[in-house]
Amino acid sequence: MREALPPRLAPALIGHVAQGPLAGRTVYDALYDTRPAELLLEALRTQARIGGLRFERNHDQEIRTGLVPRLMTAEQSNSSVVYGDTFILKLLRRIVPGVNPDLELPLALARAGCPRVPAPAAWMTADLGGEPWVLGVLQPYVQGATDGWELALRELAKGEDFAAEARALGRATAEVHTALARALPTVTSATAGWSTWSRAWSGGWRTPRSPSRRCGRTSRGCTRRSRRWPAWPPRAAPGPPSGSTAICISGSACARRPATGR
């Protein structure tokens, strides 16, 4: 919050306080300002403690001082700050209590020795109501990285052969999932059990407790066709798990996914 914004921070404007003790002050996105961004990196580097706010780090990675921050404006789902083309800090806009896949999965891959995903260098959490909330993750910045889907579209639009790149992407994906299977709990599901859950997901069944016109706007537990989501994870049918598959998703992520609905 400032009394007034300098011209360089004009894109960061959020609004103005109209009343109260802070009336007249200007509210802005502090990530556009280099000083607050520098303080965040220093707090991560020194493992600062500010009330319930905790900054943790991986001491296997050096975090140098003096890295110049810049806000990445192309990011949509989160806010990202790049520090000197060395690190990228992803600040989560939607936070949840407990384990967060944005931190849990790269940490698990690092423990498994998988080089395909940069290991977290530091992270920040807040203790709210007795539970930790992950607020942001600092990881090495991969310069010149290209989104695989965008690369495929670009090459195909030029009439170029994408087979070699597709094979490399498939190999990398397989290595990541194999590493997750080593690092995290897995379940083995028969094909029939997985198909049932998959049909429910793709068919757009309502999640339990979602509003439904048929059941009334305030009805609890109503679902389309009076069906609920099949149990997750799907249980294997009796007998040999013919055509079985390992579901390499963290337990917390699995439990929450159906509840979001589609």
Side-chain angles (χ1 to χ4, degrees):
M1 190 175 294
R2 288 173 173 249
E3 291 185 359
L5 288 183
R8 63 181 177 84
L9 292 179
L13 176 65
I14 294 177
H16 303 278
V17 181
Q19 55 186 338
L22 298 177
R25 295 294 184 96
T26 300
V27 181
Y28 73 106
D29 186 346
L31 292 179
Y32 281 83
D33 200 343
T34 55
R35 184 54 182 161
E38 290 170 348
L39 291 175
L40 277 177
L41 184 64
E42 182 62 14
L44 290 165
R45 190 183 71 83
T46 60
Q47 294 186 279
R49 297 287 188 273
I50 306 173
L53 194 60
R54 295 177 174 270
F55 297 84
E56 308 287 350
R57 62 169 295 186
N58 174 9
H59 287 278
D60 291 336
Q61 299 189 48
E62 179 187 7
I63 302 177
R64 295 186 291 108
T65 60
L67 297 176
V68 179
R70 74 174 188 276
L71 180 66
M72 296 188 68
T73 57
E75 180 65 55
Q76 296 295 323
S77 57
N78 300 292
S79 297
S80 297
V81 180
V82 175
Y83 292 93
D85 290 335
T86 303
F87 292 105
I88 181 170
L89 174 62
K90 180 167 70 173
L91 295 169
L92 309 178
R93 293 180 185 173
R94 295 185 62 184
I95 59 175
V96 295
V99 176
N100 191 302
D102 283 291
L103 177 60
E104 179 194 22
L105 297 185
L107 281 177
L109 290 169
R111 290 193 301 267
C114 179
R116 294 293 187 176
V117 176
W123 52 93
M124 52 190 298
T125 62
D127 187 2
L128 302 173
E131 287 191 275
W133 296 63
V134 177
L135 305 180
V137 181
L138 182 75
Q139 290 178 279
Y141 180 62
V142 181
Q143 298 186 51
T146 303
D147 180 83
W149 179 247
E150 293 179 358
L151 175 63
L153 293 179
R154 187 164 59 248
E155 293 299 308
L156 292 174
K158 295 188 298 185
E160 300 290 342
D161 183 12
F162 191 68
E165 290 84 353
R167 188 176 296 107
L169 285 171
R171 184 180 298 109
T173 302
E175 291 178 10
V176 168
H177 280 266
T178 301
L180 286 174
R182 292 197 307 266
L184 297 173
T186 61
V187 294
T188 301
S189 169
T191 302
W194 171 254
S195 297
T196 299
W197 197 91
S198 178
R199 284 196 301 272
W201 180 264
S202 60
W205 290 358
R206 295 181 185 270
T207 58
R209 302 184 185 279
S210 62
S212 171
R213 290 185 178 180
R214 175 178 297 181
C215 299
R217 296 181 63 85
T218 59
S219 298
R220 298 171 62 86
C222 292
T223 61
R224 190 170 63 189
R225 304 191 193 103
S226 300
R227 292 180 179 174
R228 293 181 181 272
W229 283 93
W232 179 262
R235 297 180 179 179
S242 175
S244 60
T245 181
I247 303 169
C248 305
I249 306 175
S250 66
S252 58
C254 286
R256 290 195 181 105
R257 190 177 184 189
T260 61
R262 278 219 170 181

